[in-house]
């Protein structure tokens, strides 16, 4: 049986989707169905080869929305977030960073998280929901470190060296901020 010719194309996802790249794979064996799944930080969308560019664009948007809806059902609540913070404290700080509360908030649009060491409270921006686990963990570890060292001096950054994905998570968050600053482009004619 001959191999199925596929066209694979990677492109930027729709703004605000929380995904770093979308790869569209066309298949001549696929006649009507469209499916999508996450593969790391990338979303793979499988479509029929005969689909027009406009249909492709529409289906990519639909599938990204469906995946986001499925993932939002699996989001951590405040209780799970507190449990996760406790596990991260045990793993990276020997259990020394013990917050009194850890919760999601919707009023932090310029920060990813905040900590009030005197109260022992940690708040994470709702904008982190749906981002990769290692990114949420990095922000939690960052805020937990503030319970031990309030400022951003050398002692603070030495503590964060314990978390192995610090640089990758910081790069991811910087990319999200940069993408938010890109100008909105009007849709192409005919879409």
């Amino acid at each position: 049986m001959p191999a199925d010719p596929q066209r694979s194309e990677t492109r930027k996802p729709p703004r605000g989707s929380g995904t770093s790249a979308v790869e569209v794979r066309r298949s001549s064996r696929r006649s009507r169905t469209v499916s999508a799944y996450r593969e790391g930080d990338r979303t793979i969308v499988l479509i029929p080869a005969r689909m027009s560019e406009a249909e492709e664009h529409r289906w990519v948007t639909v599938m990204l929305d469906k995946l986001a809806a499925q993932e939002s059902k699996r989001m951590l609540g405040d209780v799970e977030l507190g449990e996760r913070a406790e596990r991260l404290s045990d793993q990276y700080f020997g259990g020394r960073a013990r917050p009194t509360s850890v919760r999601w908030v919707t009023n932090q649009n310029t920060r990813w998280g905040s900590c009030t060491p005197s109260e022992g409270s940690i708040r994470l921006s709702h904008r982190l929901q749906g981002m990769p686990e290692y990114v949420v963990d990095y922000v939690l570890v960052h805020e937990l470190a503030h319970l031990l060292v309030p400022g951003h001096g050398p002692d603070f950054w030495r503590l964060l060296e314990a978390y192995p994905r610090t640089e990758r998570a910081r790069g991811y968050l910087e990319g999200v901020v940069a993408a938010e600053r890109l100008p909105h482009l009007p849709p192409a004619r005919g879409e």
Side-chain angles (χ1 to χ4, degrees):
M1 182 182 257
D4 178 33
Q6 292 187 1
R7 182 180 66 110
S8 184
E9 173 186 324
T10 301
R11 59 187 173 94
K12 286 203 256 186
R15 201 173 162 85
S17 67
T19 305
S20 61
V22 175
E23 182 178 330
V24 176
R25 294 181 184 167
R26 290 177 173 265
S27 171
S28 58
R29 282 195 251 169
R30 189 173 281 272
S31 61
R32 290 187 302 247
T33 61
V34 176
S35 63
Y37 60 93
R38 302 274 195 220
E39 190 174 85
D41 294 342
R42 167 181 304 247
T43 301
I44 310 298
V45 180
L46 306 169
I47 64 172
R50 62 172 175 69
M51 211 174 256
S52 72
E53 295 255 347
E55 287 175 308
E56 174 185 319
H57 180 71
R58 184 177 68 79
W59 274 106
V60 165
T61 302
V62 165
M63 298 312 288
L64 287 174
D65 289 345
K66 280 186 176 187
L67 283 173
Q70 289 169 357
E71 290 166 352
S72 71
K73 290 177 186 169
R74 294 188 301 248
M75 295 290 174
L76 297 175
D78 289 349
V79 171
E80 294 89 359
L81 196 61
E83 291 168 352
R84 191 170 185 165
E86 189 174 316
R87 283 192 304 276
L88 291 168
S89 175
D90 290 344
Q91 185 174 357
Y92 296 108
F93 304 127
R96 295 180 298 135
R98 289 285 178 219
T100 56
S101 71
V102 181
R103 62 191 175 95
W104 296 107
V105 295
T106 58
N107 64 349
Q108 288 189 16
N109 295 314
T110 59
R111 297 187 213 192
W112 298 113
S114 63
C115 175
T116 306
S118 62
E119 296 174 7
S121 62
I122 292 175
R123 293 157 308 281
L124 296 190
S125 172
H126 71 286
R127 297 179 308 137
L128 289 166
Q129 293 176 322
M131 289 190 188
E133 282 185 17
Y134 75 90
V135 175
V136 175
D137 285 353
Y138 162 73
V139 176
L140 273 172
V141 168
H142 183 108
E143 301 309 332
L144 287 165
H146 279 307
L147 293 174
L148 304 173
V149 179
H152 286 106
D155 291 340
F156 173 82
W157 293 109
R158 265 192 294 281
L159 277 176
L160 275 187
E161 287 175 4
Y163 185 65
R165 298 178 100 180
T166 292
E167 288 305 311
R168 183 175 180 193
R170 287 174 57 100
Y172 184 98
L173 293 171
E174 287 171 9
V176 169
V177 169
E180 289 171 350
R181 291 183 181 146
L182 291 174
H184 292 285
L185 296 176
R189 290 181 98 134
E191 287 185 12

